[in-house]
Amino acid sequence: MEQNNSKIFNFLEKRLMGPLGKLAQFKIVRAIMAAGMASIPFTIVGSMFLVLNVLPEAFPFLEGFFESTFFKISDLYMLANSTTMGALALYFCIVLGYEYTSILANEEDLDLSPINGALLSVFAFFMTLPQLVIENGVVARVSDSEANIVNGWQIGEDGVERLGTVGIFTGIIMAIVAVQLYRLCVAKHWTIKMPEEVPTGVANAFTALIPAFVVAFTVIIINGLLVLFDTDIFQVIQIPFGFVTNLTNSWLGLMVIYFLVHALWLVGIHGATIIFSFITPITLSNLAANVAGENIPLAGEFNNAYVVIGGSGATLGLCFYFVYMAKSEQLKAIGKAAIIPSLFNINEPLIFGVPLMYNPFLALPFFLAPMASASIAYFAVKFELIRPIIAQMPWPSPVGIGAFVGSGGDWRAAVVAIICVVVAFIIYYPFVKAYDARLVRQEQEAAEAE
């Protein structure tokens, strides 16, 4: 058995750890990770005000009280939601431009200003927002009162629609284009170099002048070519990214995601950080879609609300086993050290202490438990047994609380989260019981040898 498992781990290291490990080191991937993490506080803050607004839907007896109090100033406090979730692409674009420029400056020894990179990224992104059309041989901005398009700008309930989650992928692309053009200008010395006596802020402004012209002309050319074909970059990007989004939103796609996350963990790589750096733009877009009335399972913090409760591998029940049922002194000690962090979805003490990685005895349930939890929650949302995630909650939220808050106060979501924990533990139980017995024998043999 151990020989077979060794072959499996070798295969994962060679075919999975190698390629994805290299992918995680790409400069742009690291910048996207940083942008995703930086946007989380804003989405949580905005979501909390949305939860306040939808509480009467979960608890109808509150409706009268809310009508006479909170709803009278709803337009005031919901600004916190519309300026976060409603402008999320803007946050993404700013941070990505800043982080990507900073990485290039540090690792390629270029005189790049991260602030300039961020501003150039936003500049390029804003140039793609207005919708254009050719009428009688003249390029004009679209105006359509029925579609709420004014001078090319499509207006929704939260402001300019393309600044919201629908624009995240375009924001990412334009940030990459703008920063690479900035990098090219600096590397080729296509900049205005000011004397050393000039203050840094003024010098940076002039350094960005020529790159700004280069970015402007590049985006104008891109927009011009696309408008010839009666389209724009938003519609073009939607084709590949729309396919990826639909794939990840399927049950099979969900299984692939969690297989990859935990396969990476088994060979010592933080799988959640790598995989969800790519998935986060999709989950945030899905979150906004759910607020608008869609019913998409993989949205917001679906991962921590239902799937990896206790940490990667869905190990909360496993940790309680170590504390209250384990016979091995090793597992008892690890369980006591890990129980508090596990309540908040942090389980590095288990992963590195048991250990769960490179462990042939617990590898199978480490895969199966989160995939089972994901399946339960997926179909509970799909069949409308529970409300989908409509609010972003802090990922360390304890079991049930994250699902309750994320679903806008649906108590059934909390019940499903608890069911996920129980099912995950049932999957672990026979494996961990056998592993525990093995460790007990080893401890006894070690004691006898002494």
Side-chain angles (χ1 to χ4, degrees), residues 82 94 125 139 158 162 169 176 205 225-226 268 285 291 324 410 446:
S82 59
I94 292 171
F125 179 46
V139 177
D158 295 328
R162 287 185 166 186
F169 293 117
I176 295 171
L225 290 173
L226 292 175
S285 296
V291 172
Y324 298 108
D410 187 349

Side-chain angles (χ1 to χ4, degrees), residues 91-416:
Y91 292 95
F92 239 85
C93 187
I94 292 171
V95 179
L96 180 55
Y98 185 95
E99 290 290 340
Y100 193 27
T101 306
S102 180
I103 291 170
L104 290 174
N106 291 333
E107 298 184 11
E108 297 187 8
D109 196 26
L110 291 171
D111 187 18
L112 298 170
S113 165
I115 291 295
N116 283 345
L119 292 175
L120 289 168
S121 299
V122 174
F123 175 44
F125 179 46
F126 267 96
M127 287 187 68
T128 66
L129 296 181
Q131 298 181 43
L132 304 172
V133 68
I134 296 179
E135 294 179 346
N136 301 319
V138 176
V139 177
R141 296 191 183 193
V142 175
S143 288
D144 187 338
S145 56
E146 291 185 5
N148 260 355
I149 303 175
V150 181
N151 250 359
W153 302 83
Q154 187 163 10
I155 310 300
E157 290 183 6
D158 295 328
V160 179
E161 283 202 356
R162 287 185 166 186
L163 285 178
T165 52
V166 70
I168 288 177
F169 293 117
T170 302
I172 290 173
I173 298 299
M174 297 318 297
I176 295 171
V177 170
V179 172
Q180 282 293 341
L181 290 173
Y182 179 32
R183 172 180 170 274
L184 175 67
C185 290
V186 172
K188 298 292 185 182
H189 303 292
W190 300 342
T191 57
I192 299 174
K193 195 71 175 176
M194 303 297 290
E196 292 183 4
E197 294 78 14
V198 176
T200 303
V202 177
N204 284 341
F206 278 93
T207 301
L209 187 59
I210 293 176
F213 271 111
V214 173
V215 169
F217 283 122
T218 301
V219 180
I220 287 169
I221 291 169
I222 292 171
N223 285 343
L225 290 173
L226 292 175
V227 78
L228 286 174
F229 295 95
D230 196 27
T231 187
D232 61 25
I233 193 166
F234 277 81
Q235 296 177 53
V236 170
I237 287 175
Q238 182 57 34
I239 297 170
F241 285 106
F243 172 77
V244 172
T245 300
N246 291 334
L247 187 63
T248 57
N249 289 342
S250 67
W251 175 79
L252 183 60
L254 205 61
M255 294 301 98
V256 170
I257 288 169
Y258 285 105
F259 172 81
L260 291 174
V261 167
H262 293 87
L264 286 169
W265 260 125
L266 280 176
V267 290
I269 293 180
H270 200 306
T273 299
I274 293 176
I275 300 302
F276 276 92
S277 65
F278 298 102
I279 303 299
T280 295
I282 294 174
T283 60
L284 291 175
S285 296
N286 291 346
L287 181 69
N290 284 344
V291 172
E294 294 294 330
N295 190 56
I296 305 171
L298 185 62
E301 281 295 341
F302 174 88
N303 181 49
N304 289 294
Y306 300 110
V307 185
V308 293
I309 300 175
S312 293
T315 57
L316 183 60
L318 183 66
C319 195
F320 275 98
Y321 176 93
F322 291 164
V323 175
Y324 298 108
M325 299 173 68
K327 302 293 190 296
S328 162
E329 294 300 323
Q330 176 187 331
L331 294 185
K332 281 182 181 179
I334 291 169
K336 289 175 183 177
I339 187 66
I340 299 301
S342 288
L343 292 173
F344 299 95
N345 300 331
I346 300 167
N347 71 341
E348 276 76 4
L350 293 184
I351 287 177
F352 298 106
V354 174
L356 292 175
M357 62 181 189
Y358 288 107
N359 190 326
F361 301 96
L362 297 178
L364 189 58
F366 190 71
F367 274 117
L368 294 180
M371 293 170 81
S373 298
S375 298
I376 291 168
Y378 176 89
F379 289 111
V381 173
K382 208 69 177 172
F383 294 140
E384 299 185 10
L385 301 176
I386 61 175
R387 185 187 290 166
I389 299 290
I390 62 168
Q392 187 83 331
M393 48 80 179
W395 66 265
S397 301
V399 57
I401 295 176
F404 178 79
V405 174
S407 62
D410 187 349
W411 63 269
R412 299 168 302 174
V415 173
V416 169

Side-chain angles (χ1 to χ4, degrees), residues 4-25:
N4 290 335
N5 280 312
S6 178
K7 290 180 180 178
I8 292 172
F9 286 123
N10 288 336
F11 173 80
L12 291 176
E13 282 186 319
K14 185 178 179 181
R15 302 296 180 188
L16 193 66
M17 178 181 174
L20 288 179
K22 290 178 181 177
L23 184 64
Q25 295 306 311

